[in-house]
Amino acid sequence: MNNILIKSKNLTVGYGEKILLKNADFEVKKGDIFVIMGGSGCGKSSLLKVLTGLMEPLEGSFELFGIDYKKANDTKKFLLKQKTGILYQSGALFSSMTLYENVAMPLNQYTSYSDKTIEELVRLKLALVGLSGYEDYYPAEISGGMKKRAGLARALALDPRIVYFDEPSAGLDPISSARLDELMLEISANLGTTLVVVTHELESIFTIANNSIYLDSQTKTITASGNPHEILKNPPNERVFQFLTRGKNNEKGTE
C-alpha cells in the first residue's frame, strides 16, 4: 500500500446536478507519470480539482498517501498539500515578482530555512528547469514556455512527492511543448517524483505516460486504463480508439 500514493474510491465529480464523472476507481503509484485523458467536457480538470483539494466530490472519496482526504481535518489536509505541487495552465506566476521571488515564495512561507539556503534552493530549482541566469527576470520578460518552466520550478520548490499538471502544453508551440515533455520525463527519472497530468495532447500522452485513465463524456465513466500504448493495441471500444488515433483509419497499434 505504501507504493500507492492516490487511491480513488467511487468518485463522482460534477457541479450540482450536473455529473461529469461517476463511480471512478483508480490508483496512482509511486513513480507513475499518470495521465488523465479524454475529450472536451469529460471532467478531466474537474477531477484534478478534486484531487488537489480545490473542489469537493459529489460522492465517493480518495486516499492521498494512505489518508482519506475527505475525513482529514484542515491541519492534516494542509500537511498533505505540502507534499504536492501544482503547475497550472498559465503557470500562475505573480507578475510583480521576479522568477527568483516566485520560486522563493513557498520556501519563505512554509519553511524556516535561512536566506542562504533558500537562495541555493531557488537557484537549483531554476537550473533544474533550464532557467539558470533568469532569476531577476519578470514573467512579462520571458516566453510562454519559459513561464511554464518557471511555474514548474515553483511547484518543485518544496520537493513534493506528487506534482499535478493541468494541460501543461496549452498555449505552447510544438518545440516548447516537446521540451516540457522532456523535462517532465527527466524530473520523474532523476527525482522520482510522481506526476499526474491532465491533457488531451496525443504526442504528450504517448511520450510521457506509463499509466493513464480515459474519461468518456458519453458514459461519464472511466472506460480505459493503463499504459496508453497498450490501450491502443487493444482498445476497449471505438471511442477510445478514435481518441487515441484522432479518428485516422490507421491500424490498432503504435510504431
Side-chain angles (χ1 to χ4, degrees):
M1 285 297 294
N2 291 337
N3 197 41
I4 299 172
L5 303 190
I6 301 173
K7 184 178 179 66
S8 167
K9 299 178 179 179
N10 196 37
L11 269 185
T12 296
V13 177
Y15 302 87
E17 296 182 357
K18 181 177 177 59
I19 293 175
L20 298 173
L21 177 67
K22 59 187 178 183
N23 306 322
D25 294 327
F26 60 87
E27 295 177 349
V28 179
K29 296 180 179 179
K30 182 179 179 182
D32 271 353
I33 300 183
F34 184 91
V35 166
I36 301 170
M37 59 184 179
S40 298
C42 67
K44 300 187 299 295
S45 290
S46 295
L47 175 57
L48 192 70
K49 288 180 181 177
V50 169
L51 296 178
T52 56
L54 298 175
M55 176 176 158
E56 290 285 337
L58 297 179
E59 292 181 18
S61 62
F62 70 96
E63 291 181 0
L64 184 60
F65 308 116
I67 296 171
D68 190 318
Y69 191 83
K70 197 171 183 178
K71 294 179 180 178
N73 59 33
D74 289 343
T75 300
K76 178 63 73 173
K77 286 179 178 178
F78 177 77
L79 293 173
L80 289 173
K81 285 181 179 180
Q82 282 191 287
K83 297 180 181 180
T84 69
I86 306 175
L87 176 62
Y88 297 98
Q89 280 191 35
S90 63
L93 298 172
F94 291 97
S95 60
S96 61
M97 294 183 178
T98 64
L99 300 193
Y100 180 97
E101 292 167 336
N102 267 282
V103 178
M105 186 181 66
L107 293 164
N108 284 317
Q109 285 187 330
Y110 302 119
T111 75
S112 57
Y113 295 151
S114 67
D115 290 344
K116 183 178 180 181
T117 298
I118 289 176
E119 179 181 354
E120 290 173 352
L121 288 171
V122 170
R123 293 186 184 281
L124 175 64
K125 303 304 180 184
L126 286 171
L128 185 66
V129 300
L131 290 175
S132 182
Y134 286 88
E135 291 84 358
D136 296 329
Y137 281 65
Y138 287 88
E141 298 174 320
I142 59 176
S143 69
M146 294 169 77
K147 288 177 186 176
K148 291 285 181 80
R149 285 187 276 139
L152 180 53
R154 188 177 62 188
L156 293 169
L158 297 175
D159 295 320
R161 295 176 64 188
I162 300 172
V163 176
Y164 300 99
F165 296 75
D166 186 12
E167 298 284 4
S169 298
L172 297 184
D173 61 78
I175 294 175
S176 296
S177 180
R179 173 68 184 109
L180 188 58
D181 285 345
E182 291 171 3
L183 187 56
M184 292 161 70
L185 288 169
E186 289 171 8
I187 288 168
S188 173
N190 296 333
L191 302 182
T193 309
T194 300
L195 312 183
V196 177
V197 186
V198 165
T199 186
H200 63 274
E201 296 289 343
L202 278 187
E203 190 166 350
S204 290
I205 290 169
F206 286 118
T207 297
I208 67 173
N210 71 305
N211 197 3
S212 68
I213 52 175
Y214 175 83
L215 310 188
D216 189 308
S217 60
Q218 292 190 30
T219 64
K220 304 185 189 306
T221 61
I222 295 171
T223 57
S225 62
N227 187 300
H229 291 276
E230 296 302 318
I231 294 173
L232 184 54
K233 288 178 182 177
N234 188 27
N237 58 55
E238 185 64 18
R239 283 198 297 277
V240 173
F241 176 66
Q242 291 294 320
F243 175 84
L244 291 176
T245 60
R246 285 291 186 262
K248 297 176 182 177
N249 293 321
N250 48 2
E251 296 181 0
K252 295 182 180 180
T254 58
E255 295 296 330

